[in-house]
Amino acid sequence: MTVRVLYVCSEVFPLLKTGGLADVSAGLPPALAAQGADVRLLLPAFPSVVAGVVPEGASLLVPPRDTLGLPPGLGPRSGTVHGPTPWLQQGRIEATGQPVLLLHAPGLYDRPGNPYHDASGKPWADSAEQFAWLGWAAALMGTGLDSTWLPDVVHGHDWHTGLAFAYLDRLAAAGRRRPATVFTVHNLAYQGVFDAGVRERLGLPDPLFRVQGLEFHGHISFMKAGLHFADAITTVSPTYAREITGPEQGCGLDGVLRERRHRLRGILNGVDDAVWDPANDALVRPGYSADDLTGKSAAKARLQKHMGLKPRAEALLFCVVSRLTEQKGLHLLPGVVDELVRRGGQLAVLGAGDTQIEHALQHAAQRHPGDVAVHIGYDEALAHSLIAGSDVILVPSRFEPCGLTQLYGLRYGTLPLVRAVGGLVDTVTDSSLEHLDDGSASGFVFHDLTEADLLSALRRAFALRRREADWRAVQRHAMTLRFDWARAATDYLQVYAQARSDATGTASA
Ligand code: ADP
């Protein structure tokens, strides 16, 4: 029987993307649909999202609590929204045909800039309300707002959707239909923690505000709401699933996660072939494959030219395509650049983030003109050029829930050099002698978050490059590895089935 899934998220590629979450929202739903699921996305009507959606069918008003006859204190009050009642617009993403519901809430989403923060990088002052409404709309859809499409599963992603699960719990306690619920953590470090004072405005009644609920050190935590109330929790790699149950990576929520360990599962993300395939990448022409790397050499020459690097075919070209943050371990990079260049390497960086890291890398580029190039900003086409044209992609993360760029690197024969953490452990195998010997090597892995350890991995990359046959063998193996969405979708369908059987009678008092 077809499972109906309401897939709730805050961004989707190519309409709105600030990170891997958007790639997942683009890749997973069609893979679920290909295996028979009926999936609808629900996301806020941010301007670029509205622009990419063709409206279809009737709109649905998102009523305030009273119209549902809910207990007092439940549901965002209509007064919190600067304008008329929010509503859901049904439609399809123009580029893909994916069915979506866009949540319009006048004053909350229809403004320029980043969805999460203002031009100065501070979270929007009404961030809690933005995503409380998303949760509320999801909860109402889950309980039958659209009587023609009742979801079996509400599947929310990251803290932006966490309140859906708390609202659903209250709605079930009030006797409403309760769908099965699944909450996926893409990054535990971003939690949506707000002053407890907002809870009345958000319609969060007292029974929810406790340790066995969404209270977090006297504040409310959207992330914790998801972790506590969902029937099933998933995260984006098996290793990260283990890591977040410990204090080091648990971001203060490891206790909740340990308690709910039996409901937690790690499912690796996939690569969207329609976007990331070196043989058919519209942004990389001519394409190439493991059997014929001519196109990769051409991509390298083009990239060197484009970035102002010396046209040296023999230079080992390292790249970074990333948010430039400490999470990504990129504070280590400036300290190893001189040695990287001294050994004959080149470095091309695309990213934006911490100004300190940006400046240190720009400074390195000034020290090494023609050998180090840095492009500060976000550029989808350039990301493809870097990943196709480089020899090695650097992902030295402090923590990494899954990581997508190392997967793209593998696919494009651009060997990932990664730290042994989270999804990086699950997807990259070090080119140690034993792994070269048994054919499983696919990149370079280091352990300590130190310049010294990063440098020793860089040296291993140079050493392997001098052994042409070994390099080719590793590259070929990397390119044949498949992390596809079909496999992940099968796992998610199992999680949905389990959640549905667990879902009955789970509302708390
Ligand atoms: P995270 O979601 O933590 O930022 P991921 O590796 O999961 O990291 O996903 C990052 C995604 O964002 C990848 O698709 C990557 O190609 C893309 N990306 C990151 N920085 C840039 C940039 N500056 N320009 C273009 N794409 C970028």
Side-chain angles (χ1 to χ4, degrees):
M1 213 180 64
T2 304
V3 58
R4 287 178 168 168
V5 182
L6 183 69
Y7 187 106
V8 194
C9 57
S10 55
E11 49 185 271
V12 61
F13 178 83
L15 308 186
L16 175 63
K17 169 167 164 177
T18 70
L21 181 62
D23 291 358
V24 177
S25 315
L28 178 55
L32 290 165
Q35 293 182 39
D38 174 3
V39 188
R40 295 194 185 174
L41 256 58
L42 165 57
L43 71 166
F46 292 118
S48 63
V49 177
V50 176
V53 167
V54 182
E56 191 179 278
S59 310
L60 300 157
L61 279 186
V62 177
R65 58 193 167 141
D66 322 12
T67 48
L68 282 174
L70 298 172
L74 184 59
R77 294 175 184 182
S78 45
T80 59
V81 164
H82 332 221
T85 308
W87 51 283
L88 290 166
Q89 170 195 332
Q90 307 194 63
R92 284 177 190 276
I93 296 180
E94 197 172 8
T96 58
Q98 169 66 48
V100 287
L101 292 151
L102 300 188
L103 174 63
H104 291 262
L108 285 185
Y109 310 126
D110 51 349
R111 57 192 171 205
N114 186 288
Y116 313 120
H117 50 76
D118 62 21
S120 70
K122 283 210 218 74
W124 293 108
D126 51 15
S127 197
E129 274 153 75
Q130 280 186 303
F131 294 109
W133 275 106
L134 181 64
W136 178 241
L140 292 184
M141 276 300 294
T143 50
L145 186 66
D146 179 356
S147 59
T148 66
W149 194 81
L150 297 174
D152 301 299
V153 179
V154 172
H155 184 179
H157 296 261
D158 267 353
W159 75 262
H160 317 102
T161 66
L163 284 198
F165 304 93
Y167 290 134
L168 278 167
D169 178 79
R170 291 293 83 201
L171 287 160
R176 308 284 302 191
R177 167 186 198 272
R178 190 184 183 289
T181 52
V182 179
F183 181 58
T184 296
V185 178
H186 295 261
N187 191 335
L188 192 65
Y190 301 98
Q191 300 188 348
V193 173
F194 300 96
D195 194 278
V198 300
R199 76 181 195 276
E200 201 181 322
R201 268 195 290 143
L202 305 187
L204 297 166
D206 286 343
L208 294 174
F209 189 68
R210 56 187 186 197
V211 176
Q212 293 296 321
L214 48 73
E215 191 260 346
F216 185 64
H217 301 293
H219 289 64
I220 66 161
S221 164
F222 282 40
M223 176 66 86
K224 190 176 170 197
L227 297 180
H228 182 78
F229 290 108
D231 297 317
I233 306 164
T234 71
T235 187
V236 287
S237 70
T239 295
Y240 192 60
R242 276 193 302 280
E243 288 170 345
I244 57 179
T245 57
E248 201 182 314
Q249 304 262 15
C251 303
L253 289 168
D254 46 299
V256 189
L257 284 158
R258 272 196 301 281
E259 231 170 75
R260 306 213 67 214
R261 178 178 250 150
H262 54 293
R263 305 277 186 138
L264 169 66
R265 178 164 172 191
I267 300 175
L268 268 181
N269 285 336
V271 170
D272 193 342
D273 270 343
V275 185
W276 295 99
D277 173 4
N280 295 302
D281 186 329
L283 300 165
V284 180
R285 286 281 178 252
Y288 64 90
S289 66
D291 293 328
D292 181 0
L293 291 166
T294 321
K296 184 161 179 67
S297 306
K300 180 170 179 176
R302 269 200 315 276
L303 176 63
Q304 286 171 320
K305 185 158 188 240
H306 180 83
M307 298 286 285
L309 296 167
K310 293 172 199 150
R312 293 169 48 223
E314 78 291 356
L316 191 57
L317 175 50
F318 296 83
C319 77
V320 169
V321 177
S322 181
R323 294 185 285 122
L324 302 179
T325 63
E326 281 217 25
Q327 178 205 326
K328 298 293 183 182
L330 292 168
H331 57 293
L332 296 180
L333 195 53
V336 301
V337 169
D338 294 353
E339 185 60 19
L340 183 156
V341 173
R342 200 186 66 74
R343 288 176 178 271
Q346 294 183 332
L347 174 66
V349 177
L350 167 63
D354 294 356
T355 39
Q356 240 180 335
I357 299 177
E358 289 180 0
H359 288 161
L361 289 170
Q362 283 169 322
H363 195 235
Q366 282 159 10
R367 279 201 311 280
H368 301 289
D371 288 319
V372 176
V374 175
H375 182 100
I376 301 296
Y378 184 91
D379 186 329
E380 191 68 30
L382 191 54
H384 283 250
S385 304
L386 260 78
I387 290 173
S390 304
D391 298 301
V392 178
I393 183 162
L394 300 172
V395 194
S397 304
R398 178 187 292 280
F399 69 92
E400 193 58 77
C402 175
L404 288 171
T405 55
Q406 88 280 12
L407 299 182
Y408 303 154
L410 290 167
R411 196 84 166 78
Y412 282 69
T414 303
L415 303 186
L417 189 158
V418 305
R419 183 159 172 262
V421 70
L424 302 171
V425 173
D426 298 333
T427 54
V428 182
T429 305
D430 186 56
S431 297
S432 60
L433 281 178
E434 63 271 35
H435 294 145
L436 287 173
D437 201 40
D438 67 17
S440 62
S442 62
F444 310 95
V445 181
F446 71 103
H447 291 265
D448 298 340
L449 191 66
T450 59
E451 286 177 13
D453 220 25
L454 170 58
L455 203 53
S456 68
L458 288 169
R459 291 178 60 180
R460 289 207 297 288
F462 281 106
L464 189 70
R465 193 70 191 89
R466 281 192 290 275
R467 289 156 178 79
E468 181 67 20
D470 283 338
W471 181 278
R472 288 280 169 247
V474 175
Q475 194 177 38
R476 171 177 288 276
H477 175 62
M479 293 180 79
T480 52
L481 291 169
R482 286 291 174 271
F483 297 93
D484 57 63
W485 277 118
R487 168 206 40 85
T490 305
D491 290 350
Y492 277 105
L493 288 171
Q494 274 173 11
V495 171
Y496 295 159
Q498 184 64 47
R500 289 175 77 182
S501 83
D502 291 342
T504 39
T506 45
S508 61

